């Protein structure tokens, strides 16, 4: 599922720092009370934030069974969606990609400088 995210939706994700784009990937296992941080990154531009999201999406989809990996693989090839993500980030709106399998929801997000939770 592809979604955009407003700053309010990212509550608990941390605060933007300086002029960096904050990126993170988190796994939310079904029936667990805590999430698992899969990685975080500070990028100096929206393009570098998108590059990190693409790399981390590739890592996640490589671990999923074929049926569950398809949405992530489609997203990796979707240049129009990547342009939309860049537009969101450059205009001050966070961007989020959500993938899942039968046991876990994976959330990958980037948010621009100045966005606070």
């Amino acid at each position: 599922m592809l979604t955009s995210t407003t700053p309010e939706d990212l509550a608990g994700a941390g605060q933007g720092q300086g002029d960096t784009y904050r990126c993170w990937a988190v796994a939310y296992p079904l029936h667990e009370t805590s999430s698992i941080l899969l990685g975080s990154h500070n990028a100096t531009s929206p393009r570098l934030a998108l590059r990190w999201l693409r790399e981390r999406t590739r890592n996640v989809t490589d671990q999923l069974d074929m049926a569950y990996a398809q949405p992530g693989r489609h997203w990796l090839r979707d240049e129009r969606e990547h342009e939309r993500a860049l537009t969101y980030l450059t205009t001050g709106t966070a961007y989020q990609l959500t993938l899942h399998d039968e046991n876990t929801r994976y959330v990958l997000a980037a948010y621009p400088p100045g966005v606070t939770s």
Side-chain angles (χ1 to χ4, degrees):
M1 170 173 36
L2 305 173
T3 58
S4 66
T5 298
T6 62
E8 293 79 21
D9 293 334
L10 291 172
Q15 292 189 322
Q17 297 176 351
D19 292 332
T20 61
Y21 290 77
R22 300 272 302 139
C23 309
W24 49 265
V26 178
Y28 296 94
L30 189 64
H31 307 299
E32 295 290 329
T33 58
S34 61
S35 60
I36 301 166
L37 180 65
L38 301 175
S40 64
H41 179 70
N42 290 331
T44 57
S45 73
R47 286 206 184 275
L48 292 175
L50 179 60
R51 179 184 297 170
W52 187 88
L53 287 176
R54 290 174 71 164
E55 290 171 7
R56 192 53 68 179
T57 299
R58 190 171 294 110
N59 294 137
V60 170
T61 57
D62 285 348
Q63 304 300 314
L64 299 174
D65 288 339
M66 182 64 78
Y68 295 110
Q70 285 305 104
R73 290 185 178 150
H74 174 77
W75 184 86
L76 287 168
R77 296 185 307 266
D78 190 344
E79 292 300 322
R80 176 180 272 161
E81 185 62 23
H82 298 163
E83 289 301 318
R84 186 172 86 121
L86 286 174
T87 299
Y88 280 173
L89 292 170
T90 58
T91 59
T93 302
Y95 182 83
Q96 176 178 305
L97 171 65
T98 303
L99 304 170
H100 69 89
D101 63 16
E102 68 274 1
N103 297 312
T104 308
R105 180 172 46 104
Y106 303 91
V107 178
L108 301 97
Y111 55 105
V115 173
T116 60
S117 56

